[in-house]
Amino acid sequence: MVFGFSFRQRKPNSAQTAKERLQILLAHERSSGGASPDFLPLLQRDILEVVRRHMEIDSDAVDVKLERSDDLSSLEINIELPYAKTAKAQGAN
Amino acid sequence: MSKVIVVTSGKGGVGKTTSSAAIGAGLAMRGHKTVVIDFDVGLRNLDMIMGCERRVVFDFINVIQGDAKLKQALIKDRRLENLYVLPTSQTRDKDALTKEGVKAVLDELRQEFDYIVCDSPAGIERGAHLAMYYADEAVVVTNPEVSSVRDSDRVLGLLNSKSALAEKGDGSAVKAQLLLTRFDQNRSASGDMMSVEDVLEILAIPLLGIIPESTSVLKASNEGTPVSLDEKSPAGKAYMDAVGRLVGEQIEMRATPGEQRRGFFQRLLGRTA
């Protein structure tokens, strides 16, 4: 067991994985005041409101993804645009 | 027909979240579309055990309060096609859970999923109550240890009196089964730990499975992988057997397990040699 352990150091063992996962997660939670991003629903509402000024969109067609890692976090917001509908609406105008 | 299954125990630290993740993954592996919901508002942990903690955007509470659609809050597992997680909020308190809100979310999930696994918080207060309230079945996670068995008995009493099925008053009941976790065959054989029969005699409910104490459980939680995905581990196998029984198969209770027993015999041989 002892020998096996020293060889395994190259590939992270499960305890190291656990520590790294916690460090990343807790860094995010602490920086937002012990919170997960609770502003996201508000952000989503604001973005939708702005987009709606220009086109009709369905609130079901919004997909928000978040990916956290130690050096970079990304927030991805996909809004499916109903092209057919907007084209018709513009034609009517 | 979809089924709502609560994983509950009363006592903390006996393996509810580990079991919820393992059972959810096991059901998905068998081809059932499954979602696991975290009811522990303010102390979210299911996401860590399932390994999706970096992908939480919206949560159960956002959905209940109408701030997000259910579809947006569900996290699809990256390993298993049929598995989804509904994380809870880390910032709100448990009062954010309402009976009506929970019912609405469960009703919507019933449209789409075969199994809805509710990971209950410890205790018997609001979160635990609402996790069990709409359940069709219960998995009562118990360690072979006095305080855990006592708390399980208390929880069984609540399932029989304070669940939606019990309140119907027509003889309906939540089907409760025992999942004995952290079981050590050798300590039980030597009389240091209550036996499976001892616990069954006290709680008097059917046995769903016996999960042996196993090093693979900590390893799985370190890595954020449900332990049932570790097919080589005795705990993983025991969870898969339990899942088989949960869906109605007749699977013999295997005498637990490889690693502990071998260790014991090795020690024994070492001593006698």
Side-chain angles (χ1 to χ4, degrees):
Chain A
M1 279 312 277
V2 177
F3 296 114
F5 181 72
S6 64
F7 281 120
R8 270 199 206 160
Q9 285 295 327
R10 241 178 283 159
K11 198 187 166 201
N13 59 36
S14 82
Q16 280 172 313
T17 309
K19 190 179 172 193
E20 284 164 19
R21 290 174 64 214
L22 280 168
Q23 281 171 331
I24 293 167
L25 187 71
L26 296 183
H28 283 277
E29 287 190 354
R30 286 172 186 156
S31 66
S32 48
S36 63
D38 248 17
F39 62 89
L40 279 170
L42 299 172
L43 177 69
Q44 178 182 313
R45 199 174 304 161
D46 291 350
I47 289 175
L48 280 177
E49 203 174 287
V50 172
V51 176
R52 278 213 182 97
R53 282 185 210 152
H54 304 278
M55 61 184 87
E56 238 179 79
I57 47 168
D58 185 356
S59 51
D60 276 343
V62 184
D63 183 32
V64 185
K65 280 194 186 119
L66 187 69
E67 183 76 56
R68 298 192 193 89
S69 64
D70 41 1
D71 50 356
L72 181 79
S73 289
S74 69
L75 177 68
E76 186 186 321
I77 300 179
N78 283 311
I79 304 175
E80 201 182 298
L81 301 179
Y83 285 112
K85 274 189 203 164
T86 48
K88 264 183 211 164
Q90 278 167 359
N93 289 338
Chain B
M1 246 279 287
S2 68
K3 256 185 196 158
V4 176
I5 299 173
V6 60
V7 178
T8 185
S9 70
K11 189 174 182 299
V14 297
K16 283 182 297 297
T17 303
T18 298
S19 298
S20 299
I23 290 171
L27 288 166
M29 268 191 271
R30 285 173 152 265
H32 303 288
K33 195 167 181 193
T34 304
V35 56
V36 190
I37 311 178
D38 192 344
F39 272 80
D40 202 347
V41 182
L43 288 172
R44 151 168 108 201
N45 268 319
L46 180 68
D47 55 334
M48 277 235 100
I49 301 301
M50 303 275 286
C52 62
E53 75 277 5
R54 294 189 207 178
R55 297 195 286 139
V56 176
V57 184
F58 297 119
D59 57 54
F60 192 18
I61 305 301
N62 290 144
V63 179
I64 286 178
Q65 300 187 336
D67 293 328
K69 304 273 177 193
L70 182 57
K71 198 179 74 180
Q72 297 179 317
L74 287 172
I75 303 175
K76 191 177 183 311
D77 189 84
R78 286 191 169 152
R79 296 151 296 215
L80 294 168
E81 185 59 30
N82 293 314
L83 185 59
Y84 290 77
V85 178
L86 181 56
T88 192
S89 169
Q90 180 74 334
T91 49
R92 314 297 181 85
D93 66 44
K94 55 186 185 300
D95 294 334
L97 281 180
T98 61
K99 219 178 222 183
E100 299 72 31
V102 171
K103 182 175 192 305
V105 172
L106 290 179
D107 284 347
E108 199 176 339
L109 288 170
R110 276 182 191 268
Q111 306 292 318
E112 206 176 322
F113 289 91
D114 302 321
Y115 285 95
I116 300 157
V117 178
C118 302
D119 180 21
S120 172
I124 49 171
E125 290 178 34
R126 194 178 190 86
H129 176 230
L130 287 174
M132 71 168 67
Y133 190 74
Y134 294 104
D136 301 307
E137 293 190 21
V139 173
V140 180
V141 182
T142 308
N143 291 166
E145 176 271 327
V146 288
S147 58
S148 175
V149 175
R150 180 195 194 179
D151 290 0
S152 292
D153 188 66
R154 178 97 168 86
V155 160
L156 284 168
L158 293 174
L159 281 166
N160 286 327
S161 61
K162 297 204 168 160
S163 64
L165 282 181
E167 285 176 3
K168 273 168 100 181
D170 61 358
S172 313
V174 179
K175 182 184 174 191
Q177 298 186 85
L178 176 72
L179 187 67
L180 196 63
T181 56
R182 307 201 69 163
F183 184 73
D184 185 326
Q185 179 69 46
N186 305 308
R187 296 186 71 190
S188 173
S190 67
D192 289 341
M193 181 183 271
M194 277 186 282
S195 70
V196 178
E197 292 74 23
D198 292 338
V199 180
L200 285 173
E201 189 186 321
I202 295 167
L203 293 178
I205 54 170
L207 180 62
L208 181 69
I210 307 161
I211 311 299
E213 175 82 58
S214 166
T215 54
S216 58
V217 174
L218 179 60
K219 183 168 175 282
S221 89
N222 281 344
E223 292 172 345
T225 312
V227 68
S228 47
L229 289 175
D230 185 352
E231 289 160 16
K232 286 179 197 153
S233 93
K237 282 184 208 156
Y239 272 116
M240 286 311 288
D241 282 358
V243 169
R245 292 181 201 110
L246 194 63
V247 300
E249 283 177 23
Q250 297 288 324
I251 298 173
E252 204 184 332
M253 285 292 164
R254 287 187 233 185
T256 38
E259 64 188 70
Q260 303 289 336
R261 179 176 285 183
R262 218 174 293 135
F264 173 72
F265 279 123
Q266 274 164 2
R267 256 181 289 145
L268 199 71
L269 289 171
R271 258 176 227 161
T272 49

